[in-house]
Amino acid sequence: MSQPLPAASLTGKTALVTGSSRGIGADTARYLAEAGANVVINFRNKAPRAEKLATELRTLGVDVLTVGADLTDPASVDEMFAAVKERFGSLDILVLNASGGMEGGMAEDYALTLNRDAQVGALESSLPLMAAGSRVVFVTSHQAHFIETTPTMPEYEPVAKSKRAGEDALRERIPALTEKGIEFVVVSGDMIEGTITATLLERANPGAIAERRESAGKLYNVSEFAAEVARAAVEPVPADHTRLIGDTSSFGV
């Protein structure tokens, strides 16, 4: 993987990435650590994988904390940020990467609970640790970001709508965050090759990924998109608080 951020550019900073034991979250944590940030790896039930990543990142000379927390459980989230406070004292970057809703065996409202309510809950719980100059990054997809103007695959629609609801709920807090000097940015990407969501969509709708790849011309892979998320944590925030990654020509803007 190429390094998207200058070496040592985040030395002394602390970043927490939700859902970072694997996939986009893990690579985002890796990029932030490579830039010198101390990193908090959050996972729900992949403790061995999280610890393996933490061991790798510690070789970079940064401090790494792994914290198991179910974002849909407010008490669990509060405990996570209490652990961050005890270890680091403050938090400079919060990357809201964890999402879901296509898993089997979950309650009917699980997607909305995770993709909206849990995102807001994590943000609110983090605020006592975040000072002026801190940054919140919300990770989403074009299929969710543009769901109000562009239909998506039926299999993904409930998740897309719940993620858009989460994005809207977070955007409502921008004035309050700005008042505290905390910056907020949404990073929206097209389908990402190699993610669990892409795999589940392909299983439900064979050929969907290839069709989207042909339409877009290119789909980002996990490490490429994670690099964009890492950049969003440090580069200037656009006026509309939105970074669109990949082709958007087929989405109604």
Side-chain angles (χ1 to χ4, degrees):
M1 298 191 302
S2 60
Q3 186 172 319
L5 304 177
S9 58
L10 291 177
T11 299
K13 304 291 187 181
T14 298
L16 186 154
V17 184
T18 63
S20 50
S21 66
R22 61 183 176 184
I24 293 166
D27 279 358
T28 299
R30 186 176 286 110
Y31 285 130
L32 296 173
E34 287 177 350
N38 297 319
V39 174
V40 183
I41 299 170
N42 159 249
F43 63 94
R44 187 177 65 180
N45 53 19
K46 301 290 184 184
R49 193 174 294 181
E51 289 298 339
K52 181 178 179 182
L53 176 61
T55 299
E56 174 196 335
L57 299 188
R58 289 184 185 114
T59 66
L60 299 171
V62 300
D63 194 358
V64 183
L65 174 66
T66 60
V67 185
D70 180 349
L71 297 188
T72 65
D73 177 2
S76 178
V77 173
D78 286 344
E79 289 173 5
M80 174 172 70
F81 286 108
V84 174
K85 181 178 181 180
E86 181 178 354
R87 180 74 155 263
F88 300 109
S90 62
L91 184 65
D92 302 287
I93 298 168
L94 172 64
V95 180
L96 295 170
N97 164 75
S99 66
M102 293 192 69
E103 304 89 337
M106 295 296 188
E108 188 175 341
D109 62 350
Y110 177 70
L112 199 59
T113 300
L114 174 59
N115 297 329
R116 183 193 63 188
D117 302 344
Q119 307 301 317
V120 173
L123 172 62
E124 296 294 341
S125 190
S126 75
L127 289 181
L129 299 179
M130 303 186 79
S134 300
R135 176 81 58 93
V136 178
V137 181
F138 176 67
V139 181
T140 189
S141 66
H142 291 347
Q143 288 72 23
H145 180 70
F146 293 106
I147 190 61
E148 294 168 358
T149 55
T150 306
T152 189
M153 288 175 283
E155 298 85 359
Y156 189 63
E157 185 174 328
V159 175
K161 287 184 174 180
S162 68
K163 283 187 68 66
R164 181 68 218 199
E167 179 181 337
D168 290 342
L170 292 168
R171 285 183 182 275
E172 289 176 3
R173 285 157 174 76
I174 290 176
L177 293 173
T178 301
E179 195 171 309
K180 295 175 179 290
I182 300 172
E183 298 176 315
F184 175 83
V185 62
V186 171
V187 182
S188 177
D190 206 334
M191 288 185 186
I192 309 300
E193 305 233 32
T195 61
I196 294 172
T197 298
T199 300
L200 293 174
L201 284 174
E202 184 68 22
R203 189 177 301 162
N205 192 344
I209 303 302
E211 183 179 337
R212 181 59 199 153
R213 187 189 307 115
E214 183 176 349
S215 172
K218 168 190 169 58
L219 293 180
Y220 281 62
N221 62 32
V222 169
S223 65
E224 290 170 334
F225 184 63
E228 297 295 337
V229 175
R231 290 188 185 100
V234 298
E235 292 181 354
V237 175
D240 63 354
H241 300 272
T242 310
R243 290 172 68 110
L244 300 175
I245 310 302
D247 178 67
T248 59
S249 61
S250 62
F251 295 91
V253 180

